[in-house]
Amino acid sequence: MATTCLVVMGVAGSGKSTVARLLADRLGLPMAEADEFHPAANIAKMSAGVPLTDADREPWLRALRDWISEHDAAGRGSVVTCSALKRSYRDLLRGASARVRFVHLSGTREVIAARMASRSGHFMPPSLLDSQFAALEPLGADEDGLTVDVAAAPDRLVQTVCDGLGL
């Protein structure tokens, strides 16, 4: 039977890393930061304020999918951060051998922009937030996962996710 991978998704600044780390710690699972899978060219584009294209994202998403499958093959579930903004990106991730479930961290542009403005040392500039919201395709009713509001405290979000997904 396949293991489960939780993909914590959402626009930049939604809290993916924080929530994913808390989930991974609570569930005793390894975690991958999707940003670490980007090739240097993607990071350079985003750092320059240029949105990535679907072609830019494809090898990145394939690398994440393969990481999920490697952990599944070893009998381990996992937690991954990934914007997974479009259904086609989520479809590619669902191609992993593990059961892939999504946790969409959703919030208003104002809340997320304020968070982005207060963080330092990240290559994703706040100027790309609008392009992220424009590309976002929320989870469909037929997609395995749930959507949670980022206005709640991270520990509350994790409890909501665990309750909502029966973890």
Side-chain angles (χ1 to χ4, degrees):
M1 186 164 105
T3 61
T4 296
C5 174
L6 298 177
V7 175
V8 181
M9 61 169 281
V11 298
S14 60
K16 294 182 294 292
S17 296
T18 300
V19 171
R21 173 52 47 214
L22 291 170
L23 276 168
D25 289 348
R26 179 170 175 164
L27 300 171
L29 297 173
M31 182 189 132
E33 275 284 351
D35 289 345
E36 295 173 8
F37 289 74
H38 274 299
N42 283 7
I43 292 172
K45 278 181 91 169
M46 289 182 284
S47 296
V50 178
L52 297 179
T53 66
D54 288 352
D56 294 327
R57 286 187 180 96
E58 187 173 342
W60 168 67
L61 291 164
R62 288 186 189 284
L64 284 170
R65 179 205 57 205
D66 294 347
W67 185 91
I68 294 166
S69 291
E70 287 168 15
H71 281 76
D72 176 56
R76 291 187 306 267
S78 56
V79 177
V80 173
T81 65
C82 179
S83 54
L85 298 175
K86 294 182 179 182
R87 185 179 184 119
S88 62
Y89 305 164
R90 297 189 296 272
D91 288 345
L92 200 154
L93 293 174
R94 272 192 288 273
S97 58
R99 177 183 183 188
V100 178
R101 304 182 81 188
F102 295 93
V103 176
H104 178 195
L105 301 181
S106 180
T108 66
R109 189 200 180 290
E110 294 72 28
V111 165
I112 293 174
R115 289 181 178 187
M116 286 184 82
S118 68
R119 72 181 184 181
S120 62
H122 196 280
F123 62 82
M124 175 69 85
S127 62
L128 288 180
L129 184 58
D130 288 335
S131 71
Q132 294 249 305
F133 272 107
L136 177 63
E137 296 172 1
L139 288 177
D142 61 332
E143 291 186 274
D144 190 357
L146 80 159
T147 300
V148 294
D149 187 341
V150 299
D155 58 337
R156 177 99 277 321
L157 287 173
V158 168
Q159 186 62 52
T160 300
V161 169
C162 289
D163 293 345
L165 295 178
L167 304 173

